[in-house]
Amino acid sequence: MIETQPDARPYSPGLEGVVAAETALGYVDGERGRLLYRGYRIGDLVERGTYPAIANLLWTGDWDPDHHLPTSPVPAAVMTALRALPAAAKPMDALRTAVSVWGAAQTLDWPPTPEQARALTAFSPSALAAFARLRRGLEPVEPDSSLDLVPGFLYQLNGERADAATARALDAYFIVGAEHGLNASTFTARVITSTRSDLASAVVGAIGALKGPLHGGAPSEVVEQIHNAGSPANAEKWVRETIAKGDRLMGFGHRVYRAYDPRAAALRKVAESMEHKPDWLELAIAVEDVALRVLAELHPERALKTNVEYYAAPVLMGVGLTPDLFPATFALARHAGWTAHVIEQAGANRIIRPDARYTGPAERDLPA
Ligand code: ACO
């Protein structure tokens, strides 16, 4: 019988602090609260860019502020699958299913290309909008190719064109959601790509990873929590009770940021300047102040600041999306980053295969 060997190699739960890839796409400076896409500051990109321009920047490295990307039609096979889903299905599950069926109907040769990325990114908003209508008993709306991706998505969702300010607010959300380094879903996409699997499979896996509440599921819970807080006067009591119960305050804390999330700062500006802002925005700002103070008191060892999800919630509500569409809308925004990472991974590929430290029993005989 051979004993298992003690393994003295360092182990980092959650891979925290482990460098597992090189990327030229997004720079996340957690200490100083900075986010750059290919070197450009996120605040500048929100002010001067559009989502298609930012996606193109991520895919190709070129800055073309006039880059146009309309949504594309939903293939018949995908529409059949969406119609077969129960109306109660989660939009994230519908989107994951749609991308999977879309991938089955494509020829997605290796290596993945910006054209493949563009095609998938243009398809997914149409699929999500179609599902959102079907579950309400409404027929899907065909894309309007004169509209860019975000106003096109709103048009297919609502059956009418959004006003420019509303489309612009959601575009800002899509820009800040486009890319964020080696987060859990992007890592998932890179792991899948590293096996030389195809772009659609990588994005299906990424959607699955993003679905978890610790990653992309937070903004809908932010809305619920702010309502539960009730009023500014009750905020402190509610915050303390929530933490004492062992629950987390949604929209606070981040694996990388120890400073205020620059995406939250950009979205707070957008939320405050929106024409149709939700009536609970003032309450959200009051709850944030209290939450930051209480978190600092309870966790002096770890800076827990506001993350992007907190102000994503009022922006998404303000543009008329229902909370159950928030995670899937985040997934649409992240398509640019996921697919850019897929292309980058394929360009310098090595299969991702870390080790595990074995903690099970030593070698033994099966019971007689
Ligand atoms: N509310 C209350 N306490 C918190 C919060 C929070 N939001 N975040 C962290 N903490 C506490 C933890 O309970 C833990 O305390 P303990 O050591 O006494 O158990 C300590 O702070 C450290 O937390 P970790 O879980 O180790 O931090 P980690 O880096 O692993 O987690 C995460 C980051 C998952 C985002 C976490 O802060 C969290 O759960 N936040 C709430 C959910 C959320 O907002 N998610 C969206 C993230 S942004 C995005 O994915 C786009």
Side-chain angles (χ1 to χ4, degrees):
M1 203 95 60
I2 307 164
E3 281 302 306
T4 54
Q5 299 296 314
D7 190 340
R9 292 173 302 170
Y11 162 49
S12 177
L15 299 184
E16 188 161 4
V18 173
V19 176
E22 286 191 323
T23 182
L25 299 170
Y27 177 63
V28 184
D29 179 352
E31 289 304 320
R32 279 177 289 185
R34 284 192 307 157
L35 172 62
L36 311 176
Y37 293 171
R38 291 200 182 267
Y40 299 119
R41 286 179 290 275
I42 190 67
D44 295 348
L45 292 169
V46 167
E47 270 173 35
R48 301 208 4 232
T50 62
Y51 181 72
I54 271 82
N56 187 59
L57 172 72
L58 292 169
W59 294 325
T60 65
D62 298 332
W63 176 240
D64 171 11
D66 299 321
H67 190 79
H68 178 55
L69 181 65
T71 57
S72 66
V74 177
V78 178
M79 205 57 98
T80 304
L82 292 177
R83 286 184 194 278
L85 290 175
K90 288 197 167 76
M92 274 296 247
D93 291 331
L95 181 62
R96 193 194 56 228
T97 303
V99 173
S100 185
V101 178
W102 179 87
Q106 308 289 313
T107 308
L108 295 168
D109 291 331
W110 178 270
T113 60
E115 287 64 41
Q116 292 178 10
R118 211 169 267 129
L120 177 54
T121 304
F123 153 77
S124 288
S126 300
L128 180 61
F131 175 72
R133 289 181 71 81
L134 287 170
R135 69 180 180 159
R136 293 166 57 209
L138 301 170
E139 274 308 296
V141 172
E142 285 299 311
D144 177 340
S145 63
S146 70
L147 295 173
D148 241 335
L149 189 127
V150 172
F153 168 58
L154 285 171
Y155 168 67
Q156 286 174 268
L157 200 57
N158 301 323
E160 57 186 44
R161 288 185 174 210
D163 62 78
T166 298
R168 186 69 200 125
L170 188 59
D171 205 59
Y173 170 79
F174 267 60
I175 292 170
V176 305
E179 152 62 12
H180 208 242
L182 205 60
N183 53 80
S185 57
T186 301
F187 184 54
T188 304
R190 288 190 80 128
V191 170
I192 292 172
T193 303
S194 80
T195 68
R196 290 204 179 190
S197 186
D198 62 278
L199 178 119
S201 299
V203 170
V204 169
I207 294 171
L210 188 69
K211 192 180 156 192
L214 296 189
H215 190 4
S220 44
E221 296 183 42
V222 168
V223 180
E224 204 182 308
Q225 287 199 338
I226 290 168
H227 280 101
N228 290 342
S231 68
N234 190 51
E236 177 145 2
K237 182 169 171 281
W238 176 84
V239 164
R240 288 189 187 278
E241 282 174 3
T242 304
I243 296 175
K245 268 196 297 184
D247 287 352
R248 295 195 167 193
L249 299 179
M250 290 295 154
F252 295 91
H254 198 275
R255 177 55 67 80
V256 181
Y257 288 119
R258 296 291 155 256
Y260 202 98
D261 184 334
R263 303 167 298 170
L267 288 185
R268 179 174 169 165
K269 262 200 220 167
V270 172
E272 287 181 307
S273 63
M274 277 170 85
E275 204 177 319
H276 310 289
K277 43 180 164 285
D279 52 9
W280 45 265
L281 181 60
E282 291 306 315
L283 174 59
I285 292 169
V287 172
E288 181 193 18
D289 283 347
V290 173
L292 289 174
R293 181 163 50 74
V294 173
L295 286 170
E297 179 197 310
L298 298 179
H299 290 282
E301 77 301 341
R302 188 172 181 104
L304 296 169
K305 306 286 189 198
T306 315
N307 68 46
V308 62
E309 309 278 24
Y310 198 75
Y311 284 105
V315 170
L316 295 174
M317 284 293 265
V319 303
L321 297 179
T322 51
D324 72 336
L325 284 175
F326 292 180
T329 306
F330 183 17
L332 296 182
R334 190 49 64 83
H335 269 51
W338 286 335
T339 52
H341 276 273
V342 164
I343 295 165
E344 191 178 57
Q345 175 69 36
N349 193 41
R350 184 163 166 79
I351 189 166
I352 298 173
R353 203 311 186 184
D355 284 342
R357 182 183 289 166
Y358 179 69
T359 60
E363 185 179 332
R364 54 182 168 164
D365 295 326
L366 277 171

